[in-house]
Amino acid sequence: TQAIQQAVNAAHEAGGGIVEIPAGTFYVDSISMPQGVVILGAGKGQTYLYYSGPGKNNMFVSADDGITG
């Protein structure tokens, strides 16, 4: 979570942009998404982000989707 949030924050401070996440499965408890920043995976079926905070453990994005702030 911390590394992804730091990359998102850096993109925001640079005026926006794309944060690329490599292939793999990643568990995060929360990500604050500012406007103008997009998280993008490596490709369909290659990158998965799962919510690992309290309550549920649900996938909330796959690589062919994007999370936009």
Side-chain angles (χ1 to χ4, degrees):
T1 300
Q2 185 176 11
I4 294 173
Q5 186 65 64
Q6 288 173 344
V8 166
N9 293 346
H12 176 65
E13 291 170 9
I18 298 172
V19 174
E20 296 183 11
I21 306 294
T25 300
F26 303 92
Y27 296 88
V28 298
D29 54 24
S30 68
I31 298 176
S32 175
M33 289 297 298
Q35 191 169 7
V37 177
V38 175
I39 294 178
L40 189 63
K44 187 173 184 175
Q46 295 184 42
T47 304
Y48 296 94
L49 295 178
Y50 288 90
Y51 174 68
S52 62
K56 300 179 181 177
N57 186 10
N58 293 325
M59 183 179 73
F60 62 89
V61 66
S62 67
D64 53 331
D65 299 326
I67 300 174
T68 304

